[in-house]
Structure formats: C-alpha cells, structure tokens
C-alpha cells in the first residue's frame, strides 16, 4: 500500500514546526513527508510502523525519522475514546538543517544522527526523559528561546547512547511511483498552496487528467471531495495555530489559513470540530494541560 503525503505546515517567520496532537488525528495513517521528524509518545500504547519495521509502543517512546520514511502510530483505544495529547512532534525541512550545517561548523556533530535517521531511530528511556521537557517547552516557546531549545533537543539526541535502527538496510521508498500518482501530486501542490484558492480544474491540469477523472480519483484516494478535504486541512491548520499561542486572534487565524470571511470559517470549524474556535482553544488547552500533567 502506497503511503499518503502529509502536509507539514511551517509557519512564516519560523524555521521548523513544533506541536502537539491528540488521538484520533488526521496524521494517523500510513504516510510520509519530506521533513525530518522527532516524535515522542505522551500517552497511549499500540502498534507502530516505520518503513518495513513493525513494533509496539507505549508512553515515552521517542523516535526520529528522516525525509520520506513512511510511518504510522495506531493507539489501542476504544472506538469512541478521544485522547487530547498523545504525541509531541518536531518537524524540520532538509534544506533548513543542511544550510545550518553548512554555515555552522559546530553542527558537524549531528551529521551522523541525520544520516542514520533515514532508517528511523528509537531512543532509550533516559534520552526520552531528557528530551520530553525540552519538547514541551519548545511547543510554547517563541523567538531565540525556541531556537535554543531546538538545538538542545538535537544535541541530546546526538549524544544519546546508540539508538536502535528500525527500517532494514534494503528498505527504500519508491518515490517514482508515488510522484506518478495524480492524487499525491495534487496533494503535494496543495501543500505549497493550501491558503490559496486552488480549484479542481487547476489540479486536474497539473496532473494531466480531465476534471471528472481527477474528481473521481481524488475521492477514491481521500474518501471525500476536494473542497471538503481542503477545508479539513485548513481547519486542522487553524487548530494548530489556535494552540500555538493565545495571542493570535481568531480573525487573524481565519485569514491566515485561507478562509475569505470569518463567518464561513466559524461555520466550517463548528461543523468539523463541534465547537467554536474560541471554545476549542479553551477546552483543548485545558484538557491538554491536564493530560501533560498526568
């Protein structure tokens, strides 16, 4: 089964993404992305998949993956159970870290870490315990403090006892087949233009299909229409921004994620999340703080 491309949003004015998500969540599927990822399980147990590796996870598991390495974590919970804070995540682009390595000689110490992460790295409990408070602070931090914590996380991982390498030496994702998939090419384009008014006809032209053929293929692949899929992605992005900072006004987030008016944004948010954006911010933040304390 070919993995889906995940859209990783790195906000303007920031070098990397750092966030927390619950369960269920849109990224809980067999997926890949071009960014490096540091993933720490805060709650639940279950089964995880990294490349051709399959294993069991529990709270405290810390894994780093390199670009385009397929992955998934499936929690063993009741079908109607909602976990407010399951995973702490840091994601950063390859060009960002390569540019840093090229300009700062001190960065050479993390080069082996970056190289080995292409097969997925599982760290020991001691490293996880050291990294978790740094990631928790990082999610809330701003400015230079944010950068300082990011480098501390990488330095801790680079100095950790030998991590377990997960995917086999022979495993390699065949991106040629994925890139040839019309829907994944369309999703890749959406990745770069999520907040712009991209229509079905434009995407159909990009992948060389008729509008009707693309529409059918897109619905088979995603289980929904392009309009609903795009609105879902934008609302998911809005949720991330709502939790990033209480200082960002709801109206600012509305326009930043691509909605043209506040009433339309509020209507879609209520439909998809069952509450208003302000209620989501208050409720989820309270639940998340409680879960983190547990």
């Amino acid at each position: 089964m070919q993995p889906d491309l995940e859209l990783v949003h790195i906000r303007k004015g920031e070098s990397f993404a750092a966030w927390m998500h619950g369960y269920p969540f849109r990224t809980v599927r067999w997926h890949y992305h071009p960014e490096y990822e540091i993933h720490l399980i805060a709650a639940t147990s279950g089964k995880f998949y990294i490349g051709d590796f399959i294993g069991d996870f529990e709270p405290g598991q810390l894994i780093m993956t390199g670009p385009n390495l397929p992955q998934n974590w499936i929690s063993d919970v009741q079908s109607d159970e909602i976990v407010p804070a399951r995973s702490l995540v840091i994601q950063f682009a390859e060009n960002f870290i390569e540019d840093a390595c090229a300009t700062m000689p001190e960065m050479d110490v993390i080069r082996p870490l970056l190289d080995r992460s292409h097969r997925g790295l599982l760290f020991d409990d001691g490293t996880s315990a050291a990294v978790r408070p740094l990631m928790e602070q990082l999610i809330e931090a701003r400015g230079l403090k944010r950068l300082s914590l990011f480098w501390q996380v990488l330095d801790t991982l680079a100095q950790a006892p030998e991590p377990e390498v997960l995917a086999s030496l022979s495993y390699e994702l065949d991106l040629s087949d994925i890139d040839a998939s019309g829907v994944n090419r369309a999703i890749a384009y959406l990745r770069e233009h999520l907040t712009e008014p991209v229509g079905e006809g434009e995407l159909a032209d990009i992948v060389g299909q008729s509008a009707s053929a693309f529409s059918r293929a897109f619905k088979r692949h995603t289980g929904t229409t392009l309009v609903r899929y795009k609105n879902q992605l934008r609302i998911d992005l809005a949720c991330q921004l709502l939790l990033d900072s209480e200082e960002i006004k709801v109206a600012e987030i509305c326009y930043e994620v691509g909605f043209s008016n506040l009433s339309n944004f509020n209507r879609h948010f209520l439909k998809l999340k069952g509450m208003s954006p302000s209620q989501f911010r208050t409720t989820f933040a309270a639940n998340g703080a409680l879960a983190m304390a547990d």
Side-chain angles (χ1 to χ4, degrees), residues 100-285:
C101 289
T103 57
M104 294 181 283
E106 294 84 356
M107 293 288 293
D108 283 346
V109 297
I110 71 165
R111 176 62 65 186
L113 174 72
L114 298 174
D115 291 341
R116 289 182 297 163
S117 73
H118 285 255
R119 291 170 55 200
L121 299 175
L122 173 63
F123 295 89
D124 65 289
D125 292 342
T127 301
S128 174
V131 165
R132 178 166 180 169
L134 297 175
M135 293 183 70
E136 291 173 348
Q137 294 177 60
L138 177 55
I139 289 170
E140 303 296 331
R142 296 292 180 269
L144 290 177
K145 179 65 172 177
R146 192 171 185 271
L147 277 175
S148 174
L149 289 165
F150 175 77
W151 299 128
Q152 287 183 62
V153 169
L154 285 185
D155 184 54
T156 302
L157 297 183
Q159 298 186 55
E162 197 69 20
E164 179 182 355
V165 180
L166 300 177
S168 66
L169 277 170
S170 61
Y171 182 83
E172 185 175 355
L173 178 63
D174 186 357
L175 289 175
S176 63
D177 288 343
I178 290 176
D179 291 340
S181 164
V183 173
N184 271 327
R185 286 172 58 197
I187 290 175
Y189 186 82
L190 280 176
R191 166 194 172 87
E192 302 297 331
H193 303 85
L194 180 59
T195 61
E196 300 173 16
V198 177
E200 200 165 72
E202 182 178 354
L203 293 177
D205 289 342
I206 289 172
V207 302
Q209 296 180 348
S210 68
S212 58
F214 174 77
S215 178
R216 291 192 298 271
F218 190 91
K219 191 166 185 177
R220 282 196 305 270
H221 187 86
T222 64
T224 188
T225 65
L226 173 63
V227 171
R228 291 176 180 172
Y229 184 81
K230 187 162 56 174
N231 284 336
Q232 178 70 68
L233 289 178
R234 288 175 171 177
I235 294 300
D236 286 342
L237 175 56
C239 290
Q240 183 179 334
L241 298 180
L242 284 165
L243 298 180
D244 272 351
S245 174
E246 295 182 358
E247 299 174 358
I248 306 176
K249 296 180 179 179
V250 171
E252 295 177 28
I253 291 175
C254 162
Y255 298 114
E256 183 169 344
V257 301
F259 284 92
S260 58
N261 65 77
L262 187 58
S263 61
N264 192 34
F265 170 67
N266 285 331
R267 179 170 59 85
H268 283 291
F269 198 102
L270 179 63
K271 180 179 179 181
L272 291 170
K273 298 299 178 181
M275 62 185 73
S276 70
S278 57
Q279 288 174 318
F280 175 87
R281 169 180 270 166
T282 302
T283 304
F284 195 96

Side-chain angles (χ1 to χ4, degrees), residues 23 41-48 56-59 73-77 86:
Y23 188 91
I41 297 293
T44 76
S45 301
K47 194 166 292 292
F48 75 102
D56 297 316
F57 71 84
E58 59 185 16
W73 283 260
I74 302 176
S75 292
D76 183 15
V77 300
R86 189 196 74 164

